[in-house]
Amino acid sequence: MKLKEMAYAGLFAAITAVMAQISIPLPFTPVPITFQVLAVCMAGAVLGSKLGALSMLVYDLLGAIGIPVFAGFKGGFSAIVGPSGGYIIAFPVAAFFAGYILERAKGYNKLMSFISMFVGLVLIYLVGMVQLAVVAKMSLLKAFYAGVVPFVPLDIVKVVIAALVVEPLRKSIMSFSNV
């Protein structure tokens, strides 16, 4: 792996940590509204499947060892195994698939960017919802209403925003990489 690639992976892990701190707790669920999803989806779409997944794995590992990178400046293994940990666990998988879909598409465009990142978002919801149900001892339906439904409208907006900026950002990074 090239030094530039490691730097980009670290950069997106750091961006995700910053976006996690834009956090709004909700009184009816242990899952806060954050902007992590935006960073996760963009990591895969901009860096590609492997490097995007690596950046989110770095983020997850930093948090797991206790560095306060998760929402509300939380860190530690307890955050990973807690009610909202499934969302965090899904970040590398979501970034991988967002990047993978775009790598298989014929060129970057806004629609394919949106679709790839939407798939990543759905994966985050699925894993997060299942862990929320298990840890909080609730049915999958209740976990769906507590851990998915309230987040869909804003997350769709985040994915639309990401789809609009992914292509120019990727081109900018690629042109910088060739210097």
Side-chain angles (χ1 to χ4, degrees):
M1 180 178 295
K2 295 177 185 173
L3 182 59
K4 285 183 222 178
E5 292 173 331
M6 289 190 289
Y8 288 138
L11 177 63
F12 270 91
I15 289 168
T16 307
V18 170
M19 297 298 239
Q21 304 322 315
I22 303 170
S23 177
I24 304 165
L26 299 174
F28 53 87
T29 179
V31 183
I33 293 173
T34 71
F35 279 78
Q36 289 165 299
V37 169
L38 179 64
V40 171
C41 292
M42 286 186 65
V46 171
L47 299 178
S49 58
K50 293 175 186 166
L51 203 52
L54 177 64
S55 71
M56 292 303 105
L57 186 60
V58 167
Y59 171 77
D60 285 2
L61 291 174
L62 288 171
I65 64 170
I67 297 172
V69 295
F70 301 142
F73 293 102
K74 292 180 183 161
F77 192 68
S78 62
I80 298 284
V81 297
S84 62
Y87 302 93
I88 297 166
I89 290 168
F91 289 171
V93 175
F96 177 85
F97 278 100
Y100 183 82
I101 291 167
L102 279 175
E103 289 165 357
R104 300 301 177 263
K106 294 183 178 181
Y108 277 66
N109 64 58
K110 290 171 183 57
L111 179 60
M112 280 311 298
S113 293
F114 176 82
I115 290 169
S116 73
M117 290 184 281
F118 184 77
V119 169
L121 177 62
V122 169
L123 291 170
I124 292 169
Y125 284 155
L126 285 174
V127 176
M129 178 184 70
V130 169
Q131 183 162 327
L132 177 62
V134 170
V135 173
K137 296 179 176 47
M138 58 176 68
S139 70
L140 279 176
L141 185 60
K142 188 172 180 181
F144 175 74
Y145 283 113
V148 175
V149 172
F151 304 94
V152 171
L154 184 57
D155 283 345
I156 294 293
V157 170
K158 293 176 210 172
V159 172
V160 167
I161 291 168
L164 295 173
V165 300
V166 159
E167 188 176 358
L169 183 58
R170 182 172 169 76
K171 284 181 182 175
S172 176
I173 286 175
M174 291 303 127
S175 69
F176 180 72
S177 294
N178 294 329
V179 173

